[in-house]
Amino acid sequence: MQTDFLVIGSGIAGLTYALKVARACPDKKVTIFTKTTSDETNTKYAQGGIAGVWDNENDSFEKHIEDTLIAGDGLCNERTVEIVVKEGVERIKEIIEWGARFDKDQDGDYALGKEGGHSEFRILHHKDVTGREMERALLEEIKRQPNIEVITHCFVVDIITQHHLGYLVTKSTPDIECFGVYALNLRTKKIEKIESGITLLATGGNGQVYRTTTNPVIATGDGVAMAYRAKGRIENMEFIQFHPTALYEAGVNGQAFLITEAVRGDGGILRNSDGEAFMERYDERKDLAPRDIVARAIDNEMKRTGTEHVWLDCRHMDQEKFIHHFPNIHEKCLSIGIDVAKDMIPVAPAAHYSCGGIKTDEWARTSIRHLYAAGECASTGLHGANRLASNSLLEAMVFAHRAYEDAVKKMKDTSGIEWGNWNRDAIPDWRTEGTTAPKEMILITQSLKELQLLMSDYVGIVRTDTRLERAMRRLDLLHEETEDLYKTTEVSPQLCQLRNMITVGYLIVKSAQFRHESRGLHYNTDYPYKSEQVQNIVL
Ligand code: FAD
Ligand code: SIN
C-alpha cells in the first residue's frame, strides 16, 4: 500500500491533523490506522475538559502560562508553553466550528470549570464526557472528507527506515528517514508494508504499563517504543502522572473509572479513613493543589493509615448541580451502590498520563525525517515535570495543527517530498520464516501481569534507587524472554504490545535512574530535593 499522509492513531491528535492535511491537499491520499475501533482512544475518556483563556476580564494568557510553568516545576520549555496557550484558543474555536458542543451557563456564555493548579476558571467541558464529545465531532468531520480513509483493526508494528534496506542505523546516524510502516492487518492476520510520504505518530499514552490506570487497553506506548527502536529521540519518560482520584473498586485492576478533578473544582473534599480533610496539611491550595502534590499526599495517607483508598466527599455539594455537571460519574457510582448525596466515593491514585515521549520540535518534527509526533506520545516541552490539568487535549490540537502546517508546506513546496538517495523499491516485505503459531498465551499474559506489578510496586509515585534497580533487573529478564518469543512466534497484537510495554517500562526506569533529584512527578526518597542543574533526560 502507498499513501501520501499516513496517520497512526485516531484520537484527537491524529484526527485533527488528518482533517487539516486532507483539506489542504485534496488531491493527496490520507490514511489513518487505528488498532481497534476508530473511537477507542484515551481521547474518548477525557472528562474534565480543555483549558483555554476565554474569560478575558479575569483571565489572561500570562496567567495560564504561569500556571503551566508552576505545575511543570522548572522543566517546561517556555516557548512551547507560550505557543500552546496562545494558539490554543484558535484551535478550540475550530473544533467548535466542526461541531463540538461545550456546556454554557444561563447567560449563554461558556461555563468554565476549574481544576488543580489553575488560578482561574478556564476549562471548557461537555458535562463529564468532554473527550467523547470532541472525538464524536472529529469523526463526523472525517467521514465527510473524501480523501481520508480510516483503517480500523490495523496494528502498526514498526517504522521502516534505511535500517530495513540493510544500512546500519544508530542514535548518531544523522539522516534517519521514515519510509512508512509495517502493520498487522487484524482481519487478514497478515503483516503489510505501507509506504508513506509523511507519517504522523499519534498513538497516545502508556498507562497500561501500570496495574491500575485510567487509560483504556489501547494505551500501551506503541509509538514511543517504535520510535525508540527506529533510533529516534525519547525524552523525560520518568514523568508519569498519577491521577489522584480514580474510583477504587476492590479487586478491579486494569482500567479504573476516573472521578474528574472538576469534582474537586466544584467543591469535593478529600478525606482520610479518619474523616480528616487532610490536604490542608500538605498544601495551602488544599484539594486543588497540582496533581503531583495531591497524588503524593493521598499515597502518604494510604500508607500511614494502612488503607487502599481515601474518600472523596461530595455530600455537601448541591446535588442537582452535581447530577447536571457529572451525570456519567453519578450513574457509575449508583451502579456500584454509591449515592453521592449520602456516601463518600472511595478513590485512589492511578497511572494517568505520560508527560514525556517522542522528542519533537516546535513543528512536531521528531529526530527522524518525514516522521512527526503529536498528542500524548510526543514530548513537546509543554508539561515539563508535571502536566497541568486539561492542558493535554489543548496541546494535542495545537501540535497537530503545527505538524499539518509543516507537513503540507513540505509536500507542496518541493512538489513532493525530498527523499534521500534510498532505493525505496528495495524495502523488503515482512519476513515470517522460522516463526510458528503461539503455543501458550500464558507466556504473554503472565509476563504482562509481572510487568504491571513491578512497575506499580517499584516505579510508582514514590521511588528509591533500590526499587529502581530491582525493577531494571526484572525488566531485563522479561525483555530477554519476550525477545526470544518474538523471534520464534508469529506476531500478534498481544505480543507486540507486551514488547512495546517492556520497552516503555525500560525507558521510564532508565530515565528515573538518570534523574538524581526529586522534581514534579518524579519523587525519589534518595534524592528528596531539586537539583540546581535543570535538565531533560533524553534517551
Ligand atoms: P489517543 O486519544 O489515546 O489515541 C491513540 C490512538 O492511537 C488510538 O486510535 C489507538 O488505536 C492508536 N494506536 C496506538 N498504538 C497503535 C498501533 N500500534 N497501531 C495502530 N494504532 C495505534 N486531558 C485533558 O486535556 N483533559 C481532560 O479532561 C482529560 N481527561 C482524561 C481522562 C481520562 C480517563 C484519560 C485516560 C485521559 C484524560 N486526559 C485529559 C488526557 C487526554 O485524554 C489524552 O492525553 C489525549 O486524549 C491523547 O490523545 P492522543 O490523540 O494523543 O491519543
Ligand atoms: C480530569 O478530568 O480530572 C482529567 C483532566 C486531565 O487529565 O487533564
Side-chain angles (χ1 to χ4, degrees), residues 223-265:
V224 169
M226 284 190 273
Y228 183 69
R229 279 197 293 274
K231 311 292 180 207
R233 297 277 160 195
I234 311 293
E235 182 177 70
N236 290 348
M237 288 296 290
E238 68 277 33
F239 297 119
I240 298 295
Q241 184 171 72
F242 287 78
H243 196 292
T245 56
L247 178 66
Y248 171 80
E249 294 180 84
V252 174
N253 293 324
Q255 188 178 3
F257 183 84
L258 182 73
I259 307 292
T260 173
E261 198 154 304
V263 170
R264 277 175 285 133

Side-chain angles (χ1 to χ4, degrees), residues 127 318-328 330 340:
K127 309 279 180 205
D318 179 331
Q319 293 303 312
E320 212 177 298
K321 255 174 92 182
F322 189 98
I323 295 169
H324 181 73
H325 191 170
F326 308 114
N328 196 34
H330 187 255
V340 291

Side-chain angles (χ1 to χ4, degrees), residues 173-228:
T173 303
D175 281 325
I176 307 175
E177 205 161 291
C178 169
F179 304 140
V181 299
Y182 290 113
L184 173 61
N185 182 329
L186 299 175
R187 292 200 174 89
T188 61
K189 307 240 180 327
K190 293 252 165 7
I191 297 220
E192 291 166 12
K193 178 176 75 178
I194 296 97
E195 285 180 42
S196 59
I198 290 179
T199 304
L200 173 81
L201 287 173
T203 48
N206 58 36
Q208 286 289 327
V209 167
Y210 287 87
R211 191 178 36 195
T212 313
T213 173
T214 62
N215 293 191
V217 289
I218 56 105
T220 54
D222 299 347
V224 169
M226 284 190 273
Y228 183 69

Side-chain angles (χ1 to χ4, degrees), residues 23-80:
R23 284 182 177 166
C25 304
D27 56 329
K28 300 282 181 206
K29 186 170 158 189
V30 181
T31 309
I32 304 176
F33 280 161
T34 182
K35 64 179 167 178
T36 62
T37 54
S38 51
D39 72 342
E40 189 54 5
T41 59
N42 270 9
T43 302
K44 184 173 90 173
Y45 294 91
Q47 289 191 0
I50 179 161
V53 176
W54 285 87
D55 171 4
N56 293 323
E57 246 170 63
N58 299 302
D59 203 2
S60 65
F61 287 149
E62 289 68 33
K63 284 187 185 173
H64 190 181
I65 289 172
E66 177 76 3
D67 293 345
T68 304
L69 293 175
I70 292 173
D73 208 6
L75 214 64
C76 299
N77 177 326
E78 293 192 19
R79 166 90 185 121
T80 306

